[in-house]
Amino acid sequence: MSRVRVHNFSVSLDGFATGEGQSLEEPFGHAGERLHEWFFTTRTFNAMQGKIGGGSGVDDAVSRTWDAGIGAEIMGRNKFGPQRGPWEDHAWTGWWGPNPPFHTPVFVLTHHTRPSVEMEGGTTFHFVDATPEEALRQAREAAGGLDVRIGGGPGTVRQFLAAGLVDHMHIAVVPIILGRGERLWDGLEGLEKSFQIESVTTPSGVTHMTFTRR
C-alpha cells in the first residue's frame, strides 16, 4: 500500500500554518513569506524554480525529500487559489505559472467542481467534491502505486490527520509568532500517541519534526 505523506509544512510557534487575510496579492495573508523564508534559501527551492545554488545544509536535506516517490497530490481549494464559492474565472490555474512544480495528478478538494486543467510538465488539476477517504482512493489510483502527498492548506492536512490517513509528516516549526490565521493542530488532541516523533533544530532556527505512524 502506498503511503500518505506531508512535507515541508511550516507552522509558527503558536501553531498557525497561514496568516489572516489570504488574497491574490498575499497567498499566506498577513504572514507574508515569513513561514517559508527558511525554505527559500535552500538548493531544493532554487531547483524548483529552475535555478542553481542555494544552501545545502540540514534545511535542504530535509526539504528535498518532498517529491521522492510521490505519484499524486491532494490539496485544498485555498491552496489552489484565492477564489471562494462558485468559480467566476476558469482562466485561473493556480499560483505556480504554466509549469507547476508537482508534475503529477493533483486533486483539489472543492464543493464547486470544474473541468480538469492539464498543465505543462505532467501536472493535471482535478477538482473533486469528496471526503478525504474518497479523494485518497482517487489519488492512489492515479498514483500507480507511488505515495500520495497531502499538500495543504492547514484545514486539508487537519482533515486527513483527523481521519487517521497520514502515514508520514514533516512539520517545520518556524520561530515566529503570528497571533492569528488558521491553526494546524485544533481538534487533534492526543495526536502524538499515533506517531513516533523526532526533531532536529537547524541554524536557521527552524525545528524540523517528523511524525511516522506507529
Side-chain angles (χ1 to χ4, degrees):
M1 179 67 71
S2 65
R3 296 186 303 160
V4 178
R5 294 158 43 190
V6 176
H7 283 275
N8 298 351
F9 199 81
S10 296
V11 301
S12 64
L13 288 175
D14 50 346
F16 292 99
T18 191
E20 188 176 85
Q22 183 191 39
S23 66
L24 178 62
E25 294 76 21
E26 294 290 349
F28 291 93
H30 84 287
E33 296 184 344
R34 288 180 290 163
L35 282 167
H36 307 96
E37 287 174 348
W38 69 271
F39 180 53
F40 296 154
T41 65
T42 64
R43 183 170 296 181
T44 296
F45 178 77
N46 279 333
M48 290 170 63
Q49 310 303 308
K51 303 176 182 177
I52 60 174
S56 57
V58 176
D59 286 334
D60 182 65
V62 174
S63 65
R64 69 172 175 250
T65 64
W66 80 287
D67 66 342
I70 295 292
E73 170 154 334
I74 298 171
M75 69 171 63
R77 179 172 173 178
N78 288 9
K79 178 176 178 180
F80 180 74
Q83 297 183 48
R84 305 292 182 267
W87 295 96
E88 298 177 359
D89 181 9
H90 281 205
W92 175 262
T93 55
W95 308 102
W96 306 278
N99 187 3
F102 311 108
H103 310 302
T104 67
V106 177
F107 294 83
V108 181
L109 300 178
T110 174
H111 294 304
H112 302 276
T113 58
R114 56 179 275 191
S116 297
V117 177
E118 186 173 350
M119 307 291 288
E120 296 176 16
T123 299
T124 299
F125 293 108
H126 304 285
F127 303 87
V128 297
D129 185 2
T131 64
E133 292 83 359
E134 172 58 20
L136 180 56
R137 184 196 66 79
Q138 294 183 38
R140 276 190 162 136
E141 183 175 323
L146 297 176
D147 290 349
V148 175
R149 182 175 54 235
I150 310 301
T156 298
V157 174
R158 193 165 57 243
Q159 287 182 56
F160 279 80
L161 286 170
L165 298 175
V166 175
D167 300 304
H168 176 85
M169 179 167 62
H170 162 224
I171 301 294
V173 182
V174 182
I176 61 172
I177 304 292
L178 289 180
R180 53 197 167 96
E182 186 172 1
R183 296 182 188 272
L184 174 62
W185 305 117
D186 287 357
L188 297 174
E189 180 179 353
L191 178 74
E192 73 280 356
K193 298 174 184 176
S194 300
F195 292 90
Q196 177 181 336
I197 303 173
E198 299 180 359
S199 65
V200 60
T201 300
T202 69
S204 66
V206 171
T207 298
H208 296 282
M209 304 186 70
T210 58
F211 296 67
T212 304
R213 183 163 294 281
R214 296 185 186 277

